[in-house]
Amino acid sequence: MAQIKKAEGFIDWLDQRLAVKAFMRVMMSEYWIPKNINFLWAMGVVLIALFAVLLVTGLLLLMYYKPDVALAFDSVNYTIMQEVEYGWLWRHMHGVAASATFLIIYIHLFTGIYYGSYKKGREMIWLTGMVLFVAFSAEAFSGYMLPWGQMSYWAAQVITNLFSGIPVIGDAVVIWIRGDYVVADATLTRFFMLHVVLLPLVILAVIAVHFYTLRFPHVNNQDSVELDFEAEAKTYKEGRVKESNVVPFWPVFLSKDFFVVGFFMTFFFFLVCYHFDFAMDPINFEPANSMKTPAHIYPEWYFLWNYEVLRGFFFDIGGMAAMDIGLIAFVFANTVFFLLPFLDRNAMNTAPAHKRPAFFVWFWFLVVDMIVLTVYGKLPPTGVNAWVGFFAAVLFLGLFIVLPIITKYEAKKGEKA
Amino acid sequence: MREVKILAIVVFFTAVTYWGVEPYAHSQMHPHVAPADFGFKEMAPLHVNGNADNGKLLVEANCIACHGIKSLGLEAPMSPEDAASSYGVVPPDLSHAGVIYDKNYLAGFLKDPVRATKLSHKFNDAKPYAMPSYGFFSDQEIADVVAYLNNIGSSPISDKAVFEEACGRCHSMKYDALKAQTPSASMKNYLGAEAPDLSMMIRSKKAEYLTTFINEPLKMVEGIAMPRVGLSEASQQQVIAYLEKVGDRKKAERESLGLQLIGFMAIFTLIAYLWKVSIWKRAA
């Protein structure tokens, strides 16, 4: 039992019981971050800000939303958008923040790849980050169904149907996911549960683990220089702040993050009020109608690269059905990023991509290919579009197949030098 | 400098992706069509001046057996339900028909309704259109009817009233408590499709698309059941304004609040920047 004395004030009272001062030191004022970083290192805090926006606006929307196929559309588009004071604002913020979250996740992910922050002790950061990506994807997909618009319904119909490709149990899995033979009320209510309870709980837990995984390997820096954090911290605490290569999380690192968050949120509110169609597809303002298939069915923009890998294989190859090849490629695309730390066979070289010529080329091929997949994932898959999609999908798979080879080669060259 | 360069790269790739999935993809999915034609030029215009007095006689003898003219105190001869089951659809009230529809269109419609509405894929000799053709009228008589309808409908008409006359026979506007005059079961029987509720149409189709679509639905959607209604440009703008009033009621609030939110965040960003500079000068 701790020695409890008469408190000198409220903080001291708390400190005696909860050790708040030590806690703040560990989490904030003596959590050391390298000084040699750029604004890309602020993406994590931008994501936290966006997640907070999603959580708060989500709670507000939840007070009026009705998860029932007969009521959902009107509860969103009439009650929330028109009757409730500023209901439209919460909905626009929620919808746009979901899209913006994925933009920042992709920037965050490519930053991690470019600066080699996924390996040499940082594998767990990468893996928990990928778990978050999957959890956010499920969260976004389930949320998109809730307004029960045309694309809510048809995207759900198409995406849940993908599971029928699983051998033997496929059809049963589809019915299990939908809770019915077709996407219907039972589907809406279970996706509602996933969206507002189960997935947010998972996301909150994994965010905590993701932060925790950072503590031991420490945050990377833009030259991937290995720092002796204890020595650097000592230098800093002795007052030789200019000499030290680290800064404390609070207030130094966060002061810059606040600026980056502010910069991004200024743009965010422009999107929320004036330019929201990219995140709130107009077609979803049409009520779900199982009798009327939309001319073009496509997922939200952040799933398009994935969708195009699936769709890119549009003809049978060697007796294998196009759909099966597509599904295998789709499963590959969704798991291969998890394996990145292990596909990179030059595990000890954490230099940023511009200091690794072959990897540098690989990186930019990946970025461009994923953008091509994203764009062609939305275009109608006819004529030349289908072929561009096919080759982009093949290139995507190929890039991950050659990665071990080029990194192995790089490692060998490194040994000789 | 390095950060500016990185920002430029991030912005570049974001912008390319945005361009590809939004403006470019949409231009590919919805190929460009000719703009709305409010002159209804493919129908030969009348080259005679109408005589409204004679038009009055013609309307009384030919039109009011089915149509009401409420502005003159003439109620429709049948209740909407009876009219719908007799004709398939409730015949429109003619109070403002001479004003909200284009004159040229109206003349073309009287002569050959199926051709004017572009519904030949729905109606033919086997399934005749509810409105009979007045092709047996002379050009002078047609012009007289048009002139009379134009005379009686001269008072200004609200956006909502244009919607009710031009669209409300088939379409509901749930969010403004307007129910289609024709019951939806009759509609389905009549045109082979239910007419959708238009409450959120302004958000799902957008004003730009609607401008071309309402003017000539068949141009935008192959085989669609919706007729060309022949609204004049001004009346059609009134319809779109009404759709916006109902479906995007908070637009004005959104656009004014947007400036305040952006302003607030810009000030926050400036203060955050100054704070960051002062901290990094001292502590880093």
Side-chain angles (χ1 to χ4, degrees):
Chain A
M1 177 84 189
Q3 291 286 320
I4 300 293
K5 300 172 298 226
K6 188 174 173 354
E8 287 161 23
F10 179 60
I11 298 293
D12 185 47
W13 188 91
L14 274 183
D15 192 42
Q16 289 187 43
R17 284 153 184 86
L18 298 173
V20 286
K21 285 180 185 161
F23 186 75
M24 287 305 285
R25 261 200 316 276
V26 172
M27 300 304 280
M28 289 287 195
S29 59
E30 290 183 18
Y31 171 26
W32 305 101
I33 309 288
K35 198 186 278 180
N36 178 25
I37 53 174
N38 58 53
F39 78 89
L40 292 171
W41 268 254
M43 293 305 128
V45 173
V46 174
L47 281 169
I48 284 295
L50 284 170
F51 185 66
V53 166
L54 287 166
L55 195 65
V56 172
T57 55
L59 289 172
L60 293 168
L61 293 171
L62 199 46
M63 290 196 268
Y64 292 95
Y65 175 74
K66 292 188 167 66
D68 179 314
V69 290
L71 303 170
F73 186 84
D74 291 338
S75 76
V76 173
N77 288 303
Y78 186 68
T79 312
I80 290 172
M81 293 287 278
Q82 307 213 2
E83 294 281 276
V84 177
E85 285 288 322
Y86 296 104
W88 64 267
L89 177 64
W90 312 131
R91 186 190 178 197
H92 276 224
M93 283 174 73
H94 200 73
V96 174
S99 251
T101 297
F102 276 91
L103 172 65
I104 304 297
I105 284 180
Y106 284 125
I107 295 172
H108 197 53
L109 181 139
F110 282 125
T111 304
I113 299 178
Y114 188 92
Y115 291 101
S117 310
Y118 53 88
K119 55 184 181 175
K120 205 178 177 187
R122 295 199 175 89
E123 292 86 351
M124 288 309 291
I125 308 174
W126 179 263
L127 289 171
T128 52
M130 282 311 299
V131 172
L132 275 176
F133 177 77
V134 171
F136 268 101
S137 298
E139 179 72 359
F141 178 66
S142 56
Y144 196 65
M145 191 189 283
L146 303 188
W148 206 244
Q150 266 294 64
M151 207 54 98
S152 299
Y153 179 85
W154 287 98
Q157 192 77 1
V158 171
I159 303 296
T160 52
N161 195 48
L162 291 181
F163 292 91
S164 67
I166 301 173
V168 190
I169 55 165
D171 291 332
V173 170
V174 174
I175 295 171
W176 181 72
I177 291 171
R178 289 179 181 166
D180 201 332
Y181 296 103
V182 290
V183 171
D185 195 62
T187 325
L188 179 63
T189 48
R190 65 188 50 207
F191 275 65
F192 174 68
M193 177 284 287
L194 290 173
H195 187 74
V196 304
V197 184
L198 184 55
L199 291 169
L201 284 178
V202 170
I203 287 172
L204 283 167
V206 184
I207 286 175
V209 178
H210 191 56
F211 287 175
Y212 178 70
T213 57
L214 261 174
R215 290 309 292 252
F216 298 100
H218 283 285
V219 172
N220 196 5
N221 56 73
Q222 61 178 343
D223 294 314
S224 296
V225 175
E226 253 181 83
L227 299 176
D228 179 346
F229 276 81
E230 272 173 42
E232 297 292 346
K234 191 160 169 274
T235 316
Y236 192 93
K237 284 205 279 189
E238 280 166 0
R240 292 182 288 147
V241 293
K242 300 282 170 201
E243 279 167 55
S244 176
N245 285 312
V246 296
V247 292
F249 186 68
W250 171 266
V252 184
F253 178 74
L254 274 184
S255 72
K256 186 172 174 182
D257 282 13
F258 280 15
F259 163 63
V260 178
V261 168
F263 185 83
F264 183 75
M265 293 308 275
T266 307
F267 178 59
F268 171 77
F269 280 113
F270 160 75
L271 296 173
V272 165
C273 292
Y274 303 104
H275 206 90
F276 38 79
D277 283 354
F278 77 98
M280 307 172 75
D281 199 310
I283 192 170
N284 225 21
F285 286 90
E286 210 173 298
N289 183 348
S290 61
M291 306 303 285
K292 191 178 153 201
T293 318
H296 305 281
I297 300 178
Y298 45 80
E300 285 289 82
W301 70 267
Y302 37 82
F303 294 140
L304 287 169
W305 67 269
N306 231 312
Y307 183 60
E308 186 61 12
V309 169
L310 169 81
R311 211 173 60 155
F313 297 91
F314 63 97
F315 51 87
D316 300 355
I317 301 169
M320 237 179 133
M323 188 62 196
D324 293 337
I325 305 171
L327 271 175
I328 293 167
F330 180 73
V331 172
F332 178 86
N334 279 290
T335 45
V336 77
F337 275 106
F338 279 91
L339 303 177
L340 187 68
F342 315 105
L343 291 174
D344 186 335
R345 305 302 300 156
N346 194 7
M348 289 303 136
N349 185 352
T350 55
H354 56 261
K355 289 181 185 156
R356 301 170 63 189
F359 185 77
F360 185 74
V361 172
W362 181 87
F363 175 84
W364 287 112
F365 262 101
L366 180 69
V367 172
V368 171
D369 191 45
M370 283 179 72
I371 290 175
V372 169
L373 284 167
T374 299
V375 173
Y376 281 81
K378 191 153 182 182
L379 295 177
T382 47
V384 74
N385 289 352
W387 286 103
V388 174
F390 172 74
F391 286 116
V394 170
L395 176 61
F396 180 83
L397 305 183
L399 280 171
F400 284 94
I401 293 168
V402 301
L403 182 63
I405 303 167
I406 61 169
T407 45
K408 188 91 200 168
Y409 170 75
E410 185 189 71
K412 270 200 187 139
K413 225 171 77 176
E415 272 167 29
K416 274 184 208 153
Chain B
M1 237 9 249
R2 186 186 216 173
E3 300 214 87
V4 176
K5 208 172 108 189
I6 295 170
L7 181 63
I9 292 169
V10 171
V11 169
F12 172 76
F13 282 104
T14 307
V16 168
T17 310
Y18 169 77
W19 174 82
V21 297
E22 282 293 309
Y24 179 65
H26 286 287
S27 76
Q28 296 293 300
M29 288 189 281
H30 311 287
H32 188 70
V33 293
D37 162 30
F38 289 103
F40 299 95
K41 291 188 200 76
E42 98 283 357
M43 289 182 288
L46 297 175
H47 293 292
V48 283
N49 288 325
N51 175 344
D53 292 337
N54 190 42
K56 183 174 192 298
L57 299 175
L58 287 165
V59 167
E60 281 167 0
N62 293 284
C63 309
I64 59 175
C66 303
H67 295 277
I69 308 179
K70 283 197 188 125
S71 59
L72 302 180
L74 289 169
E75 285 296 323
M78 278 192 229
S79 72
E81 292 75 21
D82 290 344
S85 53
S86 312
Y87 307 119
V89 66
V90 176
D93 185 89
L94 301 183
S95 301
H96 301 95
V99 186
I100 63 177
Y101 302 112
D102 177 78
K103 261 194 216 172
N104 202 29
Y105 174 86
L106 211 48
F109 177 81
L110 289 168
K111 283 192 208 167
D112 187 349
V114 174
R115 186 166 163 254
T117 51
K118 301 214 165 186
L119 284 178
S120 57
H121 58 298
K122 293 278 171 189
F123 298 99
N124 46 46
D125 292 340
K127 194 190 178 195
Y129 190 59
M131 165 89 184
S133 160
Y134 280 80
F136 57 87
F137 270 23
S138 67
D139 276 7
Q140 183 61 54
E141 287 171 318
I142 298 263
D144 293 349
V145 171
V146 172
Y148 174 69
L149 290 177
N150 187 251
N151 256 13
I152 60 170
S154 52
S155 59
I157 167 169
S158 73
D159 296 349
K160 184 174 177 174
V162 177
F163 177 89
E164 285 189 80
E165 287 208 12
C167 322
R169 291 189 297 133
C170 306
H171 294 283
S172 296
M173 198 69 159
K174 195 158 61 168
Y175 295 175
D176 200 28
L178 272 188
K179 208 165 160 39
Q181 291 151 32
T182 311
S184 69
S186 307
M187 271 318 300
K188 199 159 183 188
N189 205 15
Y190 178 65
L191 284 173
E194 277 180 53
D197 185 276
L198 300 186
S199 299
M200 291 307 291
M201 217 36 109
I202 193 74
R203 288 293 299 257
S204 69
K205 296 292 183 198
K206 304 270 155 180
E208 193 193 340
Y209 176 93
L210 290 171
T211 302
T212 329
F213 176 82
I214 299 171
N215 178 256
E216 191 178 337
L218 204 55
K219 188 159 75 182
M220 307 300 276
V221 184
E222 209 187 316
I224 196 170
M226 167 146 160
R228 178 166 73 162
V229 290
L231 285 169
S232 71
E233 187 165 10
S235 307
Q236 189 178 301
Q237 272 166 7
Q238 281 188 284
V239 167
I240 292 173
Y242 175 67
L243 290 174
E244 190 171 289
K245 226 176 285 173
V246 176
D248 202 7
R249 189 141 60 93
K250 302 288 184 163
K251 188 180 175 192
E253 184 177 77
R254 186 172 70 228
E255 288 181 349
S256 73
L257 187 67
L259 291 175
Q260 294 173 41
L261 290 168
I262 291 169
F264 177 85
M265 283 318 301
I267 293 166
F268 173 95
T269 308
L270 183 68
I271 294 170
Y273 180 71
L274 296 175
W275 185 52
K276 182 240 155 188
V277 169
S278 86
I279 284 209
W280 280 69
K281 202 178 277 171
R282 223 160 358 99

